[in-house]
Amino acid sequence: MSNALSNRSNGQIPAILGSLLVAIIVLGPVLWAFATSFKTEVEAVVIPPTLWPTSPTLDNYTKVFKDAAFFSDLWNSVAYSVGAVIIALLVGIPGGYAAARFSFRGKRTLMLVILGTSMVPGVALLVPTYYLLETVGLLNSGIVITIILSARIIPQTVWFIANFVEAVPIEIEDSAMIDGASRFQIIWALILPLIRPGIAAVATIGIVTTWNDYITVAVFAPEVAKRTLQVALVNQVFDAVGISWSYMMAFVMVASSPVILMFGFVQKWFISGLTAGAVKG
């Protein structure tokens, strides 16, 4: 038995080493950005570079929070992301339920078309969408930006919700209908609580996708008052004064923290939601 355990442990060594390598590749840049955010500008560009600041400072974070435009950019990022996810769920939940529970002619074709729309690169639609919005005078509209962002995540929302609903035994719904429950009551009081982890997973993916979106806001909302944290971050790269790497890394850490904190809060639901749709009851 000891030999078997030893062979098993030896067989896991490559997997462990591979996991450590992936972790270093993924976390290395994050840790470097975190360390740089506490450096002075001189130390941030010194050659050879230092792994950790010799005299850590919070000046860069102070500058970020003292920037008058920072909180406006933060609010826009939150409003666009949350608004887009809410719209996507309002459309995706009934759409996914209908796809999972109703049979009709052309259902498979329709679902493939919905899936296909998510494969169209957003860049391919920038020019016609821009001219359309400019013609009707809807550039720099927060509502329009939210709707465009929601349209990007609605197809995947419909597909995910359909898989989660299919994992719920239909016999539960049949019993509720026998007891006199309406279709709306079944969805609201029965299906939604059962697929709550799946909804959390879909919402998390949607918020991360829309939060990191740069090109949509940069093109359709060029006004400074409508920009998001991502647009403000990229603008620093093209600043005529030059790039302050220590300040930029502090900005990156602050801009990433809301999504990181949200993911930590819903991590349990997120993981169970991703696995729930893979198994039918």
Side-chain angles (χ1 to χ4, degrees), residues 242-264:
I243 304 174
S244 173
W245 290 108
S246 56
Y247 172 82
M248 192 174 184
M249 293 303 102
F251 194 99
V252 168
M253 299 309 299
V254 174
S256 304
S257 58
V259 175
I260 295 174
L261 292 174
M262 180 207 66
F263 183 80

Side-chain angles (χ1 to χ4, degrees), residues 8-279:
R8 183 177 179 183
S9 300
N10 293 333
Q12 292 178 342
I13 291 178
I16 295 174
L17 294 177
S19 300
L20 288 175
L21 179 60
V22 172
I24 292 173
I25 295 174
V26 173
L27 296 179
V30 178
L31 296 177
W32 182 264
F34 180 74
T36 304
S37 67
F38 291 99
K39 296 178 181 179
T40 62
E41 186 57 29
V42 174
E43 189 176 5
V45 296
V46 70
I47 301 295
T50 57
L51 294 177
W52 187 254
T54 54
S55 299
T57 176
L58 294 174
D59 289 346
N60 297 311
Y61 288 94
T62 302
K63 292 178 183 178
V64 171
F65 289 110
K66 282 187 176 180
D67 187 349
F70 170 77
F71 290 101
S72 173
D73 299 339
L74 175 61
W75 166 251
N76 289 337
S77 293
V78 173
Y80 296 157
S81 299
V82 174
V85 169
I86 290 176
I87 294 175
L89 289 176
L90 289 176
V91 175
I93 290 176
Y97 179 85
R101 290 295 189 245
F102 300 143
S103 297
F104 51 88
R105 180 179 296 180
K107 171 183 171 180
R108 180 176 177 80
T109 302
L110 177 61
M111 293 299 293
L112 290 176
V113 170
I114 293 175
L115 180 62
T117 58
S118 65
M119 300 179 184
V120 178
V123 179
L125 303 176
L126 285 181
V127 174
T129 305
Y130 180 87
Y131 279 114
L132 175 62
L133 295 181
E134 186 182 34
T135 301
V136 298
L138 289 178
L139 288 177
N140 295 303
S141 171
I143 296 177
V144 171
I145 293 296
T146 304
I147 293 175
I148 293 175
L149 291 175
S150 67
R152 299 268 176 86
I153 59 177
I154 283 177
Q156 66 183 27
T157 302
V158 172
W159 270 82
F160 275 123
I161 295 297
N163 288 331
F164 297 140
V165 173
E166 286 179 353
V168 178
I170 195 172
E171 290 79 10
I172 299 178
E173 295 184 42
D174 294 338
S175 299
M177 285 184 177
I178 293 175
D179 292 336
S182 64
R183 184 70 66 176
F184 176 79
Q185 290 174 328
I186 290 174
I187 296 175
W188 180 261
L190 188 62
I191 298 298
L192 290 185
L194 291 176
I195 66 171
R196 187 180 302 167
I199 294 175
V202 171
T204 301
I205 295 174
I207 287 181
V208 171
T209 301
T210 53
W211 183 274
N212 292 327
D213 188 283
Y214 162 76
I215 194 67
T216 300
V217 181
V219 173
F220 302 136
E223 285 187 2
V224 175
K226 300 295 183 179
R227 73 181 185 182
T228 58
L229 291 173
Q230 288 67 32
V231 177
L233 178 63
V234 174
N235 287 348
Q236 295 179 32
V237 177
F238 301 102
D239 194 332
V241 178
I243 304 174
S244 173
W245 290 108
S246 56
Y247 172 82
M248 192 174 184
M249 293 303 102
F251 194 99
V252 168
M253 299 309 299
V254 174
S256 304
S257 58
V259 175
I260 295 174
L261 292 174
M262 180 207 66
F263 183 80
F265 180 74
V266 302
Q267 181 179 8
K268 181 179 179 180
W269 283 4
F270 179 79
I271 296 175
S272 60
L274 289 180
T275 57
V279 180

